Amino acid sequence: MLNDNRIRIITGHYGSGKTEFAVNYAAKLAKSGKKVALADLDVVNPYFRSREKENLLSEMGIKVIGSSIKAHAADVPAVSAEIFAPLQDESYDVVLDVGGDPVGARVLGRYYNYFKEGKYDMFFVINANRPETQEVENTIKYLKEIERVSRAKVTGLINNTHLLKSTTVEDVLKGQKLAEEVSKKLNIPIKYISVLEHVARELPSNLEGEIFPITLYMREEWML
């Protein structure tokens, strides 16, 4: 992950687990000693937004940028202008947590000038347990639409197939098969296999993509 481009855009279908991956990604960057900014660009979904964990992330040394309205519970589609600072300041490693589907990705158009080839990565998160992305063609349709509205190209795929705390190795391998088929059709590499730590230990070591153990930062202990 340290070899990814400085600006990382995390996108995908609604409910795929983008935010959980984005938060874990930012946390790993910070633990490696990087100067990290995590920008919450989700102006569509009022649930499970990375800015809700601002206190925790700040303790990790991560600069969190969210709504320009300073109220975490406010469902207001307003992104802070603070985001321009880390986009322009190359001392930052930037993670952009984007809202789901093409509707959520539309916000990226505002920052199009920063997405030059070789300067950014856009990762498309796949959860094969979501009804709309269980088949190759539908998954590709969502990916292509996100590319169209954002005017940016997907550079890597993330297999984030899960059933929350009930995730099994079989779930992950099902998602891996889908990701491999999408990868082959679009010639886009699988970058990461995002999976709970205890499941990660049971996965085969020869899978395409880096196994990326995650912690469920976005779900409270009492949640399933």
Side-chain angles (χ1 to χ4, degrees), residues 11 44 98-109 122 145-147 149-151:
T11 188
V44 178
V98 182
D101 297 348
V103 173
R106 194 174 300 276
V107 71
L108 288 172
M122 184 157 79
E145 274 298 292
I146 286 171
E147 286 186 327
V149 301
S150 66
R151 295 188 292 168

Side-chain angles (χ1 to χ4, degrees), residues 9 120-123 144 147 150-156 188:
I9 305 166
Y120 79 97
D121 278 301
M122 184 157 79
F123 298 139
K144 288 293 186 182
E147 286 186 327
S150 66
R151 295 188 292 168
K153 290 293 185 182
V154 171
T155 62
I188 298 173

Side-chain angles (χ1 to χ4, degrees), residues 68-117:
S68 58
I69 309 299
K70 296 303 182 184
H72 290 175
D75 185 15
V76 179
V79 177
S80 173
E82 288 182 78
I83 187 175
F84 287 104
L87 286 174
Q88 296 169 0
D89 183 349
E90 295 193 0
S91 69
Y92 273 100
D93 278 67
V94 183
V95 180
L96 304 181
D97 176 17
V98 182
D101 297 348
V103 173
R106 194 174 300 276
V107 71
L108 288 172
R110 183 179 181 186
Y111 312 106
Y112 169 72
N113 288 335
Y114 297 98
F115 305 148
K116 303 300 184 184
E117 186 175 353

Side-chain angles (χ1 to χ4, degrees), residues 11-222:
T11 188
H13 178 53
Y14 169 74
S16 60
K18 302 180 309 303
T19 293
E20 194 70 81
F21 179 83
V23 169
N24 273 270
Y25 192 106
K28 289 181 189 293
L29 282 174
K31 289 175 182 175
S32 73
K34 295 289 187 178
K35 182 180 176 182
V36 183
L38 171 62
D40 182 349
L41 299 186
D42 191 346
V43 295
V44 178
N45 176 26
Y47 304 107
F48 300 110
R49 294 176 290 199
S50 50
R51 59 182 176 266
E52 295 172 1
K53 298 297 180 181
E54 182 173 1
N55 290 341
L56 173 64
L57 294 168
S58 295
E59 290 173 2
M60 297 179 186
I62 299 168
K63 179 180 179 64
V64 179
I65 302 167
S67 173
S68 58
I69 309 299
K70 296 303 182 184
H72 290 175
D75 185 15
V76 179
V79 177
S80 173
E82 288 182 78
I83 187 175
F84 287 104
L87 286 174
Q88 296 169 0
D89 183 349
E90 295 193 0
S91 69
Y92 273 100
D93 278 67
V94 183
V95 180
L96 304 181
D97 176 17
V98 182
D101 297 348
V103 173
R106 194 174 300 276
V107 71
L108 288 172
R110 183 179 181 186
Y111 312 106
Y112 169 72
N113 288 335
Y114 297 98
F115 305 148
K116 303 300 184 184
E117 186 175 353
K119 298 294 186 180
Y120 79 97
D121 278 301
M122 184 157 79
F123 298 139
F124 183 82
V125 178
I126 297 173
N127 180 355
N129 282 331
R130 295 294 295 174
E132 297 86 348
T133 52
Q134 291 181 344
E135 306 295 334
V136 172
E137 294 309 318
N138 274 353
T139 304
I140 290 176
K141 180 189 77 171
Y142 275 102
L143 185 153
K144 288 293 186 182
E145 274 298 292
I146 286 171
E147 286 186 327
R148 183 182 68 81
V149 301
S150 66
R151 295 188 292 168
K153 290 293 185 182
V154 171
T155 62
L157 305 176
I158 298 168
N159 173 16
N160 191 46
T161 301
H162 66 85
L163 285 171
L164 299 174
K165 296 176 184 177
S166 300
T167 303
T168 65
V169 169
E170 288 71 29
D171 288 315
V172 179
L173 294 180
K174 178 178 75 171
Q176 188 70 5
K177 183 175 185 298
L178 173 64
E180 287 174 354
E181 292 180 28
V182 173
S183 173
K184 183 176 180 180
K185 280 183 175 291
L186 298 181
N187 195 30
I188 298 173
I190 300 172
K191 289 289 294 186
Y192 300 107
I193 303 166
S194 173
V195 60
L196 291 171
E197 292 179 355
H198 72 276
V199 180
R201 292 191 290 268
E202 301 176 15
L203 289 176
S205 59
N206 61 344
L207 298 177
E208 180 184 351
E210 179 182 340
I211 295 175
F212 192 100
I214 64 169
T215 300
L216 292 180
Y217 290 113
M218 297 305 301
R219 299 192 72 83
E220 307 300 334
E221 283 298 321
W222 54 268

